[in-house]
Amino acid sequence: MANLSARDVLLQLPAAAYTCTRTYKKSSIVLWSFHIERLCHSCFVAWPEIASRFSAENTTAIDSLRSVLQPIATDAINMWNASLPHTSDDDAILTFILVPREPSDSGSPVFWNNHFNVYLHIATMKALDPFALIDVQVFGSPRDHPSAKLSSWLRQRRPLEEAKLTGVSEVLLASEEGEITEGLVSNFFVVIDGVVCTARVGILPGSTRHVVADLCSLHNIPIRFEAPSLATASSWQEAFISNVRGLSRVKSVWIGRQGENGHIVLPCPDNHPDTFPTVSVFDQLRRLLDENMSKYVEDLLPNKCTLFQYAK
């Protein structure tokens, strides 16, 4: 599977649960425990018998899964760093994939080893342009089982990806009442009267969304967990999306498969250069994210310097 993207790998494998995270300064993983817990939850949603198995054995599923993934992650990051030029500051995107299989007779005491094949895809993380402005498009209904990150969603969302308008970066899903839940691969936020609004239910809670919510709480930025409604679009002061790579500011929102139901042009530096605030809520959050990311990581390579002396 060399040179394949994580998406390509997932589409070639049988039904799988997966999670995508990133490294920080090449030796840590952002919200590692968050991703282990979410991957465990996704497996429980897709294969309920797993949850009942752990309940019957009184075993902590999350700790058990960590014991399987931690050495894989450490070895992979070690090899990845060794393959990079010594001067490289590139971080990586890691995609952990679990595919169920017939129980093995290996006798391993670890449930996950006996019942799943584990795959890891690792690739360079492309940095976001901090000044980029993106267009999004609202069409498509909220998905089934949104709290689980499953490979079946890659196939289900393909028609939406193929149908989006030229130049649109992300498709947003909305209820019949016009409440926007999430993007195909992102969480969605708007700012109304200085308050950050984002959906609580009907979503896959992303790791960056988790950090944004925490930063809002810590830095007295008001946040309300309710789905942004198209009915209130005229009062949106800002909009942005989050994904594993960070935050992206939204400059306009097309509504409908062909944009036939409207086009919302949002306040942003390009659209309103004279009246847009010097420091917006989005700017505050992006700065706080950059300044505080180190507080949301778990160091997997404490002997980083020793590892690098062989890669010079």
Side-chain angles (χ1 to χ4, degrees):
M1 295 185 180
N3 300 320
L4 295 178
S5 68
R7 179 192 179 98
D8 293 333
V9 172
L10 283 160
L11 289 173
Q12 289 191 16
L13 290 170
Y18 70 104
T19 193
C20 302
T21 185
R22 54 160 291 192
T23 61
Y24 176 77
K25 295 189 181 299
K26 302 195 293 188
S27 64
S28 308
I29 291 184
V30 176
L31 289 178
W32 181 223
S33 294
F34 172 97
H35 284 281
I36 293 173
E37 291 177 21
R38 191 174 70 178
L39 184 56
C40 186
H41 169 78
S42 296
C43 289
F44 285 1
V45 171
W47 304 286
E49 65 276 10
I50 297 173
S52 61
R53 169 69 178 271
F54 276 102
S55 177
E57 295 185 359
N58 195 28
T59 305
T60 304
I62 294 170
D63 289 344
S64 176
L65 183 56
R66 180 189 293 272
S67 72
V68 173
L69 299 184
Q70 188 104 348
I72 295 173
T74 302
D75 288 347
I77 295 173
N78 189 355
M79 290 187 289
W80 175 259
N81 288 337
S83 72
L84 295 174
H86 178 57
T87 56
S88 174
D89 290 325
D90 289 340
D91 273 306
I93 295 283
L94 297 93
T95 304
F96 295 88
I97 306 168
L98 294 181
V99 178
R101 59 176 170 79
E102 290 297 318
S104 71
D105 55 2
S106 65
S108 170
V110 181
F111 173 88
W112 300 98
N113 283 339
N114 285 333
H115 292 77
F116 284 86
N117 290 323
V118 181
Y119 301 85
L120 171 58
H121 181 277
I122 187 167
T124 299
M125 185 181 80
K126 297 178 181 178
L128 289 173
D129 179 352
F131 302 105
L133 302 170
I134 67 169
D135 293 324
V136 298
Q137 184 178 358
V138 181
F139 75 104
S141 301
R143 53 178 163 150
D144 297 330
H145 308 303
S147 67
K149 197 170 180 72
L150 305 174
S151 61
S152 56
W153 175 234
L154 274 69
R155 298 175 178 86
Q156 293 166 8
R157 75 186 192 219
R158 181 178 288 174
L160 299 176
E161 293 171 327
E162 293 175 347
K164 69 183 182 183
L165 297 173
T166 301
V168 165
S169 298
E170 175 67 308
V171 173
L172 304 179
L173 306 175
S175 67
E176 293 182 359
E177 294 75 28
E179 294 186 338
I180 300 173
T181 53
E182 62 182 345
L184 298 183
V185 293
S186 67
N187 292 119
F188 180 66
F189 304 77
V190 301
V191 178
I192 303 175
D193 295 331
V195 179
V196 177
C197 301
T198 188
R200 182 191 296 275
V201 298
I203 66 168
L204 178 74
S207 55
T208 304
R209 173 189 178 276
H210 175 88
V211 175
V212 166
D214 194 51
L215 291 173
C216 284
S217 175
L218 291 173
H219 295 273
N220 299 314
I221 299 172
I223 185 167
R224 188 165 63 239
F225 294 100
E226 63 180 40
S229 173
L230 290 172
T232 65
S234 61
S235 62
W236 294 356
Q237 296 168 310
E238 302 177 66
F240 57 95
I241 63 171
S242 68
N243 57 34
V244 69
R245 295 166 61 203
L247 305 179
S248 297
R249 191 197 301 273
V250 173
K251 69 174 180 179
S252 73
V253 182
W254 295 92
I255 306 171
R257 184 171 290 271
Q258 300 298 324
E260 70 279 5
N261 295 329
H263 182 212
I264 304 165
V265 178
L266 288 152
C268 66
D270 279 11
N271 295 335
H272 299 79
D274 297 327
T275 60
F276 196 76
T278 304
V279 180
S280 66
V281 172
F282 173 82
D283 292 324
Q284 286 180 271
L285 287 170
R286 186 176 60 191
R287 175 181 58 80
L288 289 169
L289 196 64
D290 290 341
E291 293 175 352
N292 292 276
M293 186 58 75
S294 61
K295 299 176 183 178
Y296 297 92
V297 304
E298 294 180 42
D299 194 357
L300 299 187
L301 302 178
N303 56 335
K304 177 181 174 183
C305 294
T306 302
L307 293 171
F308 270 94
Q309 68 181 4
Y310 303 107
K312 293 180 180 178

